[in-house]
Every structure is written in structure tokens, then in C-alpha cells.
Amino acid sequence: MLMSVVAVSAAGVLMGLRFKAPALIAATALLVIGSFAWNGLGLPGYVTVTRFLVLAFALASAYIVGLSLAARWRRNER
């Protein structure tokens, strides 16, 4: 679970540096589809609703961090 949170957080920061809000919506939808596919294939590490919510929160929080870093860098370039 920890590696999932780290991976999703890294993706969120990178998305925040480059993309705007529609990318976050698409990434969350991809997370939902991936969770259903993971559970449907019967792979180990069943994704529960709680785990999905933790991953979605980590993604959104990291996205906000990426947005703030991008805004700071843009402000320093001027």
C-alpha cells in the first residue's frame, strides 16, 4: 500500500507541474477504472473503497503541491 501511495503522489506532483484540473479528473477516473480492473482480474492486494479513497486523496494532495510548485517557479522567472 505504501508504494501505491508513493507512486500516486509522484504522479500527482508531476501532473500538477504541467497540467490543469481536467488532468486531475482524468487521473482519478483512471484510478477508478484501474481499481475495478485490478479487482476483476483477481490480482493480489484487493483494492477496497478505503484504499481507493486514500489513493485518491494522495493524488489530489500531491496535485495541489505540484500546482503550488509550478506557480512559485513561474513567479520566480519574471
Side-chain angles (χ1 to χ4, degrees):
M1 179 69 184
L2 178 62
M3 288 304 296
S4 299
V5 171
V6 170
V8 167
S9 296
V13 169
L14 291 175
M15 281 186 354
L17 290 172
R18 177 76 177 122
F19 301 108
K20 299 302 174 210
L24 179 62
I25 295 167
T28 305
L30 186 63
L31 188 61
V32 168
I33 292 167
S35 298
F36 283 133
W38 188 271
N39 291 338
L41 293 173
L43 298 171
Y46 193 78
V47 180
T48 61
V49 173
T50 304
R51 286 185 180 179
F52 168 75
L53 290 175
V54 167
L55 290 175
F57 181 76
L59 178 67
S61 299
Y63 179 78
I64 291 171
V65 169
L67 279 178
S68 65
L69 288 174
R72 179 173 294 193
W73 287 338
R74 287 184 194 126
R75 197 174 337 140
N76 288 337
E77 288 178 356
R78 291 181 182 182

